[in-house]
Amino acid sequence: MSIYDTLNPEQKRAVLHDKGPLLILAGAGSGKTRVLTHRIAYLIEERDVNPWNILAITFTNKAAREMRERVDNIVGYGSENIWVSTFHSTCVRILRRFIESIGYSRSFTIYDTDDQKTLMREVCKFLNIDTKKMNERSILSVISRAKDEMISPEEFALQAQGDYQQTKYAQAYSEYQKRLKASNALDFDDLLYKTVELFQTNKEALLYYQNRFRYIMVDEYQDTNNVQFQLIHLLASGLNEYGEREYNLCVVGDDDQSIYKFRGANIYNILNFEKAFPNTTVIKLEQNYRSTKSILNAANEVICNNQGRKDKTLWTENEEGEPVQFTQYETDFEEADSITSEIQHLVNTGKINYNDIAILYRTNAQSRLLEEKLILKNIPYKIIGSVNFYSRKEIKDILAYLKTIDNGLDNLAVKRIINVPRRGIGLTTVDRVNDYALQQNISFYEALTRAQYIPGLERSASKIIPFVSLIEGLKSRIQQEGYSLREIIDDILDATGYLRELEEENSEEAQDRIENINELVNKLVTYEENSLEPPTLSGFLEEVALVSDIDNLNEEMNHIVLMTLHSAKGLEFPYVYLCGMEEGIFPGYMSIFADNPVEEIEEERRLCYVGFTRAMKRLSLTAAKQRMIRGETQYNKPSRFINEIPRYMIKMNTASPRKVQFSKMSNDSISDKSPGILDFDKPASKPQAGYRPYYTAETKQFEGTKMGTLDYGVGDSVKHVKFGVGIVTDITKGGKDYEVTVDFPKFGIKKLLSTFANLIKID
DNA sequence: TGTATGGATATTTTT
DNA sequence: TATCCATACA
């Protein structure tokens, strides 16, 4: 049996597509990653494409990692030569090699959103921009848009002539860019912008990569912005050996899941793909393997209210399943209480694990109440988003030390830690040093080393000197042979007294911070042990700069997950609770009252579609009549998205009979559009009030897996063509296949699909 | 220089 | 409601 036999006809057509542009419109859960990975395998094995000539681009590290893993598993030797990476890390890799040709140093650092804000604050101060009239965030978003459109500060200034406001933006942009450069830093937008600029100005570099990347795949194409399009277009425009443009570009996306317009994603990249790349083959993947018919039908009903989408209807062979549930509660408090009780009930009575369940919401703020209830009921959970691990204060502090040691040019990092922990070096001192640095045209750190000579610093200089020698001491140690990164971070924690200070504080918060720092140390150790190239401080810092919270989601852990709808894209869960289905929450006020409400609502509707299609078995929608938002009580109607689902498709539950007044509920809370939308004949299927079973948050045992056709089981030794002999540690059923986890002594733990892996049992 | 206090301010955020 | 920031004071 060939690996391609497991594909449906459309998937197969996409996988076997030969040359030329290919647009795969892949609905939610239609197996797009599978198609991508199989296509890569096909190109290598059947078309003799050199793995070296393949580039696969994703948006998140998590997606890249998963793709890498799956590609490694189905491709034989040479899979490590395929570039599988995110847009941003692809750019970093290219720039590390060629950036000098556009006047930057190859050891540039990457500024994250927080760094950008800090820098912009400095810029505004410097330019006397009143941040009450023009706040940093809005300036940064103007700049971000400009970079997305590939508009340089000079061009921006030119276009701004005559407009006071725009001129201010232009000045800020120019100064901001100047300072980035002085710190030898690039922000996220720069990574893309500068790569395109490089390709436009350096033909040699462009040719090199065009020649290398003969086959390009892009995942989540609906979320690409303009620069990303430019980048892809440039890379894909290489000539083949006959001097022809082949555009061996394969993009996969779903216009219905485009939810990042606010961040510059241009939906026309996918809608007009066929215009940009002549002779495009279009393949639609409409069979969904994830959800029940009930869930999919509801999702289809909602999304078909959008105009201007590519026509497609998802269908499935899966069972009908339970109807989609909708419950409207009196208050947000009851909503949270009820959802969490239900979860507890599900886990206690059913064969369901915590990690089968997700609670999704529109805004991060909604997680609070839920979190309180989860703690109360002792339900293990993880919240994704809100505060990224790497944006925590203590983590940023330690990273700033590492950055300072690594690259003294990073002015922001040095300024961040100069007085952390407190050294009695205040704002006035920092300002003086800063002025001196600007005047002498040297970096802030360089100025610190000359503290004794800076006028007006007599007293403070004595405080600066120990700081400089601390940094210098650490710097010299890192150059010593055999000095590990682990030792450096330990030295920092010790020599600065950072840990000691936290320990002495003896509060719960300090304890959390210490744990976070330990986590950082772990990550550094992991990097040091697993890095393919010799581990360096710069390498670690780079990896860390491009990581998001969702990347850390570990499916193995047995806890429920809470996150925003945005973060949930690309994930799936058997049981999904989508809460806060209310006008004003979802769709949010901002979109209802926007200048272009139609467009904005359509984006919210796509978000709703994304939310619905995360669910595999059961989708529960909830709303509250009364909700506390920013200290104010709001009364909201159920979301219009609920009304877009025909009522026969939805099971209306009545919430807590003890409190609900039926007449009131049907009159004020439901819009006139669909009268009688609530079905009171059906009994409430809610766990009894006050239901609070005893349960410890310990791991629940997995149901015994049926082995069926496999001739090996957990604990057996098996042999794999590439990885050699290993021991089966787990087997789970996934679609038509079994997913077999095998621990190979030489290659580590691998997840393999039984159909492809051809594992042979060894006695 | 460090802390206290009032006041503004508030979607979503793959990197 | 909670959080962040600037300014005022000790």
Side-chain angles (χ1 to χ4, degrees):
Chain A
M1 176 163 131
S2 123
I3 61 166
Y4 310 110
D5 292 344
T6 59
L7 301 166
N8 71 34
E10 288 76 33
Q11 290 178 332
K12 203 163 180 175
R13 206 152 74 80
V15 167
L16 305 189
H17 172 81
D18 188 15
K19 297 200 164 177
L22 174 64
L23 168 62
I24 304 174
L25 290 168
S30 61
K32 67 184 166 90
T33 313
R34 212 155 151 232
V35 167
L36 274 179
T37 48
H38 280 69
R39 179 161 167 72
I40 292 174
Y42 170 78
L43 288 173
I44 295 170
E45 275 155 23
E46 308 293 329
R47 295 272 153 194
D48 286 330
V49 172
N50 188 335
W52 174 263
N53 290 133
I54 298 175
L55 169 67
I57 296 190
T58 63
F59 274 84
T60 64
N61 295 300
K62 187 168 186 283
R65 209 180 320 137
E66 277 166 14
M67 175 110 73
R68 166 109 266 160
E69 219 169 88
R70 288 168 72 167
V71 166
D72 282 347
N73 287 347
I74 63 170
V75 173
Y77 289 100
S79 72
E80 62 281 358
N81 287 324
I82 307 169
W83 263 34
V84 183
S85 76
T86 65
F87 269 104
H88 294 265
S89 32
T90 303
C91 290
V92 170
R93 238 169 120 176
I94 294 171
L95 291 173
R96 287 270 181 241
R97 181 158 174 175
F98 285 106
I99 200 169
E100 279 170 0
S101 88
I102 51 169
Y104 279 79
S105 142
R106 284 166 64 165
S107 60
F108 62 86
T109 52
I110 299 162
Y111 273 10
D112 68 15
T113 327
D114 283 345
D115 301 328
Q116 286 182 285
K117 228 173 139 194
T118 316
L119 186 60
M120 186 48 75
R121 205 168 300 139
E122 283 182 14
V123 168
C124 288
K125 217 187 224 167
F126 179 77
L127 294 174
N128 285 319
I129 291 175
D130 181 6
T131 50
K132 277 182 189 117
K133 275 172 142 174
M134 260 168 91
N135 72 15
E136 294 95 336
R137 254 189 40 206
S138 66
I139 303 174
L140 280 169
S141 80
V142 168
I143 294 177
S144 175
R145 231 171 300 146
K147 287 180 177 176
D148 179 30
E149 300 290 341
M150 305 270 318
I151 299 170
S152 69
E154 296 74 31
E155 284 170 281
F156 194 100
L158 231 73
Q159 286 177 22
Q161 273 175 356
D163 184 328
Y164 175 80
Q165 178 95 346
Q166 290 295 312
T167 313
K168 278 278 167 212
Y169 282 132
Q171 288 170 356
Y173 183 13
S174 156
E175 184 63 27
Y176 171 77
Q177 213 53 29
K178 198 173 125 196
R179 285 175 187 237
L180 274 178
K181 196 154 184 201
S183 286
N184 196 23
L186 301 181
D187 65 19
F188 288 140
D189 299 313
D190 280 337
L191 293 176
L192 293 151
Y193 178 20
K194 293 295 166 191
T195 309
V196 174
E197 187 186 317
L198 168 78
F199 285 155
Q200 287 172 341
T201 54
N202 184 336
K203 287 283 159 265
E204 187 205 340
L206 177 61
L207 269 174
Y208 173 81
Y209 286 107
Q210 282 182 337
N211 205 29
R212 162 144 194 195
F213 300 131
R214 295 297 182 84
Y215 289 84
I216 300 172
M217 330 259 158
V218 185
D219 195 11
E220 305 281 13
Y221 188 72
Q222 75 281 352
D223 290 328
T224 51
N225 62 20
N226 293 308
V227 221
Q228 285 162 343
F229 173 81
Q230 298 286 338
L231 179 73
I232 296 295
H233 194 272
L234 279 165
L235 283 174
S237 301
L239 304 178
N240 68 9
E241 52 271 48
Y242 310 108
E244 301 156 344
R245 287 218 157 85
E246 284 179 334
Y247 295 121
N248 290 322
L249 171 64
C250 163
V251 304
V252 188
D254 180 1
D255 49 310
D256 289 334
Q257 293 188 64
S258 158
I259 54 171
Y260 282 102
K261 202 187 76 187
F262 70 94
R263 272 188 118 236
N266 183 352
I267 194 166
Y268 293 102
N269 284 347
I270 191 161
L271 294 179
N272 296 337
F273 184 83
E274 295 147 85
K275 287 186 191 137
F277 297 94
N279 302 319
T280 293
T281 306
V282 182
I283 295 174
K284 291 181 191 174
L285 303 180
E286 293 171 299
Q287 182 176 2
N288 169 294
Y289 294 94
R290 179 184 294 152
S291 312
T292 62
K293 286 196 176 75
S294 302
I295 292 168
L296 220 50
N297 289 340
N300 280 333
E301 289 291 338
V302 171
I303 197 65
C304 73
N305 289 286
N306 273 7
Q307 306 295 314
R309 50 188 283 265
K310 296 240 178 192
D311 181 52
K312 61 182 136 43
T313 312
L314 233 48
W315 60 278
T316 184
E317 279 175 359
N318 291 348
E319 55 176 11
E320 187 76 33
E322 290 176 58
V324 173
Q325 320 262 321
F326 175 65
T327 318
Q328 188 187 31
Y329 297 94
E330 285 298 305
T331 62
D332 46 355
F333 193 81
E334 273 179 42
E335 182 190 38
D337 193 62
S338 192
I339 290 175
T340 47
S341 297
E342 214 174 293
I343 288 174
Q344 200 166 44
H345 185 73
L346 269 176
V347 175
N348 286 350
T349 57
K351 295 161 183 137
I352 291 161
N353 289 302
Y354 285 115
N355 57 4
D356 290 332
I357 304 169
I359 306 180
L360 308 180
Y361 35 75
R362 175 69 242 260
T363 65
N364 279 312
Q366 291 170 257
S367 67
R368 283 271 279 273
L369 257 183
L370 291 159
E371 186 175 16
E372 278 173 29
K373 295 288 175 190
L374 290 167
I375 293 173
L376 204 72
K377 297 181 184 174
N378 205 18
I379 297 174
Y381 68 95
K382 181 166 164 73
I383 297 181
I384 306 286
S386 54
V387 230
N388 183 332
F389 179 78
Y390 291 103
S391 15
R392 301 201 153 112
K393 203 197 300 161
E394 60 279 14
I395 302 301
K396 293 217 88 176
D397 288 342
I398 305 302
L399 288 177
Y401 272 100
L402 291 171
K403 285 181 186 168
T404 304
I405 295 166
D406 187 51
N407 171 12
L409 290 178
D410 190 337
N411 295 334
L412 281 191
V414 185
K415 280 182 207 165
R416 184 184 180 96
I417 50 161
I418 185 153
N419 201 28
V420 177
R422 304 233 151 77
R423 299 186 176 89
I425 302 170
L427 252 182
T428 17
T429 314
V430 171
D431 280 345
R432 283 214 180 110
V433 178
N434 207 20
D435 289 345
Y436 179 82
L438 284 174
Q439 208 183 83
Q440 303 285 317
N441 205 17
I442 55 174
S443 74
F444 183 78
Y445 183 76
E446 183 74 28
L448 286 179
T449 62
R450 304 187 200 167
Q452 302 100 304
Y453 314 109
I454 300 177
L457 265 197
E458 293 75 21
R459 211 167 314 146
S460 315
S462 62
K463 291 171 179 162
I464 293 175
I465 293 164
F467 173 74
V468 170
S469 45
L470 171 79
I471 297 296
E472 288 302 314
L474 290 164
K475 265 187 179 172
S476 67
R477 258 182 266 180
I478 200 167
Q479 272 139 25
Q480 281 167 29
E481 194 66 24
Y483 212 81
S484 72
L485 297 180
R486 166 77 206 248
E487 284 167 293
I488 288 293
I489 200 165
D490 285 341
D491 280 349
I492 291 173
L493 293 172
D494 186 50
T496 58
Y498 201 102
L499 266 188
R500 224 166 303 129
E501 202 171 74
L502 283 174
E503 276 158 9
E504 279 159 18
E505 209 179 293
N506 219 351
S507 69
E508 204 168 312
E509 196 195 321
Q511 199 51 46
D512 276 352
R513 292 186 193 281
I514 293 172
E515 274 167 31
N516 286 332
I517 291 173
N518 288 335
E519 186 60 33
L520 181 70
V521 175
N522 287 342
K523 284 181 196 288
L524 187 128
V525 172
T526 317
Y527 163 78
E528 203 164 20
E529 283 169 0
N530 296 345
S531 172
L532 298 173
E533 288 137 37
T536 60
L537 196 44
S538 318
F540 176 68
L541 289 171
E542 180 175 312
E543 205 170 276
V544 154
L546 299 174
V547 168
S548 79
D549 209 28
I550 194 83
D551 294 328
N552 293 319
L553 178 65
N554 182 353
E555 277 91 358
E556 318 274 288
M557 297 293 279
N558 196 21
H559 48 225
I560 73 163
V561 203
L562 285 75
M563 66 186 124
T564 63
L565 289 157
H566 282 90
S567 307
K569 199 184 72 178
L571 306 175
E572 60 180 26
F573 302 90
Y575 296 81
V576 169
Y577 288 86
L578 180 38
C579 62
M581 293 295 296
E582 294 146 46
E583 288 290 301
I585 305 292
F586 187 34
Y589 282 110
M590 304 293 261
S591 49
I592 297 174
F593 298 109
D595 299 335
N596 48 353
V598 177
E599 261 180 67
E600 297 276 326
I601 293 288
E602 292 209 344
E603 176 124 336
E604 297 278 303
R605 191 174 283 115
R606 288 193 291 268
L607 196 52
C608 181
Y609 177 76
V610 168
F612 280 21
T613 53
R614 295 315 93 197
M616 299 160 85
K617 287 180 122 137
R618 179 148 102 193
L619 174 63
S620 308
L621 308 169
T622 64
K625 289 189 199 173
Q626 196 187 85
R627 182 180 298 274
M628 194 70 131
I629 299 269
R630 300 212 281 272
E632 262 178 276
T633 306
Q634 287 185 359
Y635 299 88
N636 298 317
K637 293 199 290 184
S639 168
R640 67 189 71 192
F641 302 140
I642 298 290
N643 284 345
E644 287 169 2
I645 310 170
R647 67 162 291 192
Y648 71 85
M649 282 192 188
I650 202 166
K651 178 162 182 273
M652 299 287 170
N653 294 319
T654 46
S656 346
R658 57 202 155 112
K659 278 182 191 168
V660 177
Q661 295 164 353
F662 289 166
S663 60
K664 197 175 167 226
M665 200 165 167
S666 55
N667 291 340
D668 336 333
S669 310
I670 308 289
S671 74
D672 304 328
K673 234 175 87 186
S674 19
I677 191 165
L678 287 181
D679 185 354
F680 299 116
D681 304 334
K682 298 258 160 62
S685 74
K686 202 189 141 285
Q688 321 82 304
Y691 178 71
R692 200 151 295 173
Y694 167 80
Y695 195 74
T696 49
E698 290 290 75
T699 347
K700 204 166 171 287
Q701 278 302 308
F702 222 99
E703 271 287 286
T705 329
K706 291 183 207 100
M707 300 305 169
T709 53
L710 298 182
D711 59 353
Y712 46 84
V714 174
D716 285 345
S717 292
V718 290
K719 191 175 175 185
H720 182 269
V721 187
K722 188 174 161 189
F723 304 128
V725 177
I727 293 165
V728 178
T729 57
D730 190 27
I731 297 179
T732 51
K733 196 162 194 266
K736 296 174 183 171
D737 267 320
Y738 289 95
E739 193 178 68
V740 186
T741 313
V742 188
D743 190 350
F744 295 103
K746 282 188 195 139
F747 294 87
I749 292 163
K750 296 275 173 192
K751 279 197 175 160
L752 307 163
L753 291 179
S754 57
T755 344
F756 312 141
N758 285 325
L759 295 170
I760 298 157
K761 187 181 173 184
I762 298 177
D763 304 309

